[in-house]
Amino acid sequence: MTALCRAPEYTVSGDADAFPIRVRGLRNEFGDYVVHDDLDLDVRRGEILGVVGGSGTGKSVLMRSIIGLQTPVAGSIEVLGQSITGARDDADIAIRCRWGVLFQGGALFSTLTVAENVEVPLREFYPDIDLRLLAEIAHFKVRLTGLAGDAAVKYPAELSGGMRKRAGLARALALDPELLFLDEPTAGLDPIGAAAFDQLIRGLQQTLGLTVFLITHDLDTLHEICDRVAVLADKRVIAVGTIPELLALDHPWIQSYFKGPRGRAAASVRHLD
Amino acid sequence: MSDVPDFTLIPAEGGDTLVLTGAMVVSRVGPLDMRLRAIATPLAQIDLAGVTTIDTVGAWLCCRLSRDTGAAIINADDVAQRLIKALQAVDDGVTDEPVQALPTWLRVPSEVGDAVVGMGHGTIGVLGFIGQIVMASGSMIRHPGRIRARALVHQMELVGVNALGIIGLMSFLVGIVIAQQGAVELRQFGAEVYTVNLVGRLTLRELGILMTAIMVAGRSGSAFAAEIGTMKLTEEVDAMRTIGVSPMEALVLPRVFATVLMMPLLGVYAALMGIIGGAFLAQLTLGIPFISFIARIRTVVPVYDVWVGLIKGPVFGLIVALAGCYQGMQVESNAEEVGKRTTAAVVMAIFTVIVLDAFFAVFFSEVNWG
């Protein structure tokens, strides 16, 4: 149980293959408000790690720290064997072409069509790709995320919320990343759409061999597709494990999270299947 | 380097076999794609045995070749099979051709046409917007309780009080420039003393209010367009409507009235600062004492010059505020439009102000206020 409560220490810096994301001693603070203190986390290759925690526990801040948008006060973050915290400026983070990020609202570029949105990272990293191939790639990426082909020529403002998330996912997958960061992918979707999105993520993760870092409040998502769940509370990751492993722990927040009315409902649906 | 993706064609009866080798990944396949497109001979098989790694883009190339030529894919490893299967499932045979830009000889007339149509729509839109403002003002006069005094005062502070520094400095410097340039020319006739007339009449009639209008258009007109435009984008304007707050009353009218009220005040202030600038220079270089300069202004500037400036003020204010609010309310879809509309608001305001100023000049000289 202690092993669960504390992410195990891996001091050898050679296992980037097994652990594409390694966070050690992370500390984030905004003014006097400390968000993270001495936070450790390892993400295993090929897993879908769900990150849960109450509002304001710094789930998004953790994600922003890992992808280099937020400079932590202390601690080290290694992604795919490269230090994010040691990078002096944005350009130093050369592994950007190996991860994809889906922000909460999709964060599509509003002046570009969906297809052009998908093409942006491709043009940025691989300028030698022919325009026709670019269009083909954008088209099949859009189709892979479950959108109809004609959505590719639409502007983000013309799409519904769920379609925008899928389009954002298409852009996140544009470079065939190894790592995928998802910030509340199913928030704001109807239950059917959310379930379909869960299956989409699972399917893509298996097809493309992705490692997924997934922030969510959605208990169904946790039960359905997450291999492990990391719980953020008390300014750090208090536990990482499968849901049964977490349930065995005697932490009040974990108990009320998974055993509250919504948690029970999600779990019972799972058992009915 | 063996990782560079390449292919060889093995001729065979009934179709060639295409043997792909190397890393079929997005970072490498750019040049290969063009060569693959150039293959003209019929293919029977695509052999992936030599492929070291593959991602969706590499798989897509195989998938497309197989679709277009009917060739079978053989010797694919697990990953390749999985990817190709996933892509075949979503391939709908449609390829979006990259949009071809029109040739120049077509693009020029097409853009001119778009601009003319746009101008027509713009004119109708502005007229409609003025109508809305008149109606909203009418209903506000009938229900004075709905007047948003706080918003009005706040906007008056933003448009008027906060602009005092920059407008004062600008007018002061303009006054110095007029006096300096005027004195140089007038000295040739020994008529330096008429510098007072020049500075006094020019700042009160024309430059005070014109420079102020341009500054307010740049400071506040653009801010109106950007504020209202961003609020449209974030659906704040829609939210207002659903609460029962008319965006016209809450957003547009306070800004319009604040600008209409503040513009003549700023114009007079600018004129005074210009006169002070002129007097300052006259004292330094012409030897006209500051006090005499000010006293002489009273005798040489006809009082209708002040009226001319005061009459133009609210009109220019109305134009600046209208342009800003109108362009802001026109924002529909995206962030780029906010920028475009903001630029359009400033250009429209300054252009209209200068055109109207010319009309005013003719008008006032016709009524013997020249």
Side-chain angles (χ1 to χ4, degrees):
Chain A
M1 180 168 149
T2 43
L4 276 173
C5 282
R6 198 82 185 130
E9 291 287 336
Y10 297 95
T11 43
V12 192
S13 184
D15 43 22
D17 269 352
F19 299 96
I21 302 175
R22 295 155 47 83
V23 182
R24 286 289 172 276
L26 180 72
R27 182 181 173 87
N28 271 307
E29 55 190 35
F30 297 105
D32 290 340
Y33 181 65
V34 179
V35 185
H36 300 135
D37 191 16
D38 200 19
L39 181 150
D40 294 355
L41 180 67
D42 286 291
V43 181
R44 295 179 187 157
R45 179 165 296 270
E47 76 172 346
I48 299 184
L49 178 79
V51 177
V52 301
S55 293
T57 49
K59 302 183 294 294
S60 292
V61 176
L62 175 60
M63 185 180 106
R64 290 173 62 85
S65 305
I66 296 174
I67 57 183
L69 293 176
Q70 162 92 31
T71 311
V73 178
S76 70
I77 299 170
E78 264 181 42
V79 178
L80 298 165
Q82 201 199 331
S83 168
I84 299 292
T85 38
R88 274 187 309 280
D89 65 72
D90 283 3
D92 288 352
I93 304 177
I95 50 170
R96 281 178 197 283
C97 58
R98 292 170 67 190
W99 72 47
V101 184
L102 171 63
F103 288 96
Q104 233 182 81
L108 293 164
F109 303 121
S110 58
T111 52
L112 304 177
T113 64
V114 171
E116 287 166 339
N117 262 286
V118 178
E119 288 170 19
V120 167
L122 289 163
R123 285 175 195 269
E124 194 62 33
F125 282 99
Y126 311 118
D128 65 339
I129 294 183
D130 182 50
L131 283 181
R132 273 178 303 177
L133 182 59
L134 264 185
E136 287 170 6
I137 295 175
H139 190 82
F140 81 69
K141 297 273 178 185
V142 168
R143 295 273 298 140
L144 267 182
T145 53
L147 288 169
D150 57 3
V153 292
K154 288 187 179 158
Y155 285 91
E158 299 169 318
L159 301 178
S160 70
M163 291 165 84
R164 233 173 278 171
K165 293 229 159 138
R166 286 172 188 267
L169 185 61
R171 187 180 68 186
L173 294 173
L175 296 169
D176 272 278
E178 297 160 50
L179 275 175
L180 187 60
F181 293 90
L182 306 172
D183 193 353
E184 300 207 20
T186 54
L189 299 186
D190 67 276
I192 300 171
F197 207 90
D198 284 346
Q199 291 316 313
L200 173 69
I201 293 170
R202 191 43 144 179
L204 287 172
Q205 186 257 344
Q206 282 165 351
T207 311
L208 308 177
L210 299 166
T211 305
V212 181
F213 180 96
L214 180 146
I215 295 174
T216 190
H217 278 305
D218 191 332
L219 287 153
D220 294 312
T221 305
L222 292 175
H223 282 286
E224 282 297 322
I225 66 170
C226 291
D227 297 309
R228 290 195 306 158
V229 176
V231 181
L232 246 75
D234 309 330
K235 296 173 185 149
R236 54 194 190 84
V237 176
I238 54 166
V240 192
T242 61
I243 291 178
E245 281 172 335
L246 293 180
L247 283 174
L249 299 178
D250 191 26
H251 190 281
W253 193 86
I254 297 176
Q255 290 297 324
S256 64
Y257 189 83
F258 288 103
K259 295 212 168 146
R262 285 163 165 256
R264 277 204 308 274
S268 64
V269 169
R270 178 112 178 104
H271 290 304
L272 286 177
D273 285 345
Chain B
M1 211 166 91
S2 66
D3 252 12
V4 176
D6 200 357
F7 69 87
T8 45
L9 279 172
I10 301 172
E13 205 52 35
D16 298 354
T17 298
L18 178 82
V19 181
L20 286 162
T21 52
M24 298 276 289
V25 292
V26 60
S27 50
R28 300 285 183 81
V29 295
L32 180 74
D33 168 55
M34 294 178 217
R35 289 171 54 212
L36 284 175
R37 281 180 202 275
I39 297 176
T41 53
L43 296 178
Q45 284 181 327
I46 301 169
D47 188 343
L48 301 185
V51 172
T52 50
T53 51
I54 189 162
D55 67 4
T56 58
V57 176
W60 164 253
L61 292 182
C62 305
C63 198
R64 189 187 67 200
L65 264 179
S66 149
R67 180 191 75 194
D68 293 347
T69 62
I73 295 169
I74 57 166
N75 291 335
D77 62 11
D78 288 349
V79 178
Q81 273 181 12
R82 210 171 56 208
L83 292 176
I84 289 169
K85 209 172 137 220
L87 288 178
Q88 278 169 343
V90 299
D91 183 18
D92 50 10
V94 181
T95 313
D96 307 316
E97 285 298 318
V99 181
Q100 297 291 325
L102 285 172
T104 311
W105 62 275
L106 269 178
R107 206 168 64 224
V108 172
S110 137
E111 281 183 9
V112 169
D114 284 347
V116 171
V117 172
M119 251 158 67
H121 287 305
T123 313
I124 296 170
V126 170
L127 288 178
F129 191 70
I130 293 175
Q132 284 182 328
I133 287 186
V134 170
M135 280 170 57
S137 314
S139 87
M140 198 160 270
I141 289 166
R142 270 183 281 120
H143 310 280
R146 293 228 300 265
I147 293 176
R148 288 164 196 275
R150 282 176 62 93
L152 182 67
V153 172
H154 178 63
Q155 289 298 333
M156 283 167 77
E157 184 186 344
L158 290 180
V159 174
V161 181
N162 291 357
L164 286 177
I166 184 72
I167 288 180
L169 178 65
M170 177 185 71
S171 305
F172 182 78
L173 295 175
V174 167
I176 288 182
V177 172
I178 296 171
Q180 147 75 22
Q181 294 295 314
V184 168
E185 292 298 316
L186 292 170
R187 184 174 292 147
Q188 300 176 26
F189 311 103
E192 288 120 305
V193 74
Y194 283 99
T195 305
V196 183
N197 305 40
L198 186 70
V199 171
R201 298 204 62 186
L202 210 50
T203 49
L204 278 165
R205 273 183 83 94
E206 290 292 338
L207 282 181
I209 192 65
L210 194 62
M211 298 296 286
T212 304
I214 290 172
M215 184 53 84
V216 172
R219 264 189 98 254
S220 303
S222 58
F224 294 169
E227 282 163 14
I228 298 180
T230 312
M231 290 180 76
K232 288 262 311 193
L233 275 193
T234 53
E235 298 180 321
E236 284 174 61
V237 174
D238 294 338
M240 269 185 188
R241 284 212 178 92
T242 58
I243 299 168
V245 177
S246 150
M248 228 36 188
E249 287 180 12
L251 295 178
V252 176
L253 286 190
R255 287 176 168 78
V256 170
F257 282 121
T259 320
V260 168
L261 288 174
M262 295 316 288
M263 190 72 92
L265 299 182
L266 284 174
V268 170
Y269 164 73
L272 294 181
M273 291 305 285
I275 289 169
I276 291 173
F280 176 72
L281 187 106
Q283 163 117 35
L284 282 187
T285 65
L286 302 179
I288 304 174
F290 192 86
I291 295 301
S292 324
F293 190 102
I294 302 294
R296 192 162 164 74
I297 289 275
R298 291 181 52 193
T299 58
V300 301
V301 178
V303 76
Y304 55 72
D305 277 3
V306 180
W307 286 116
V308 167
L310 281 175
I311 289 171
K312 287 199 276 193
V315 179
F316 289 178
L318 182 68
I319 288 167
V320 168
L322 267 183
C325 294
Y326 168 73
Q327 296 290 356
M329 292 299 270
Q330 297 308 301
V331 171
E332 292 292 342
S333 54
N334 58 47
E336 191 183 10
E337 216 189 333
V338 177
K340 277 188 191 160
R341 291 290 179 182
T342 306
T343 311
V346 176
V347 173
M348 184 172 155
I350 294 179
F351 176 76
T352 317
V353 160
I354 289 176
V355 169
L356 266 189
D357 194 51
F359 276 113
F360 273 125
V362 176
F363 172 78
F364 286 128
S365 71
E366 286 297 309
V367 298
N368 286 329
W369 269 13

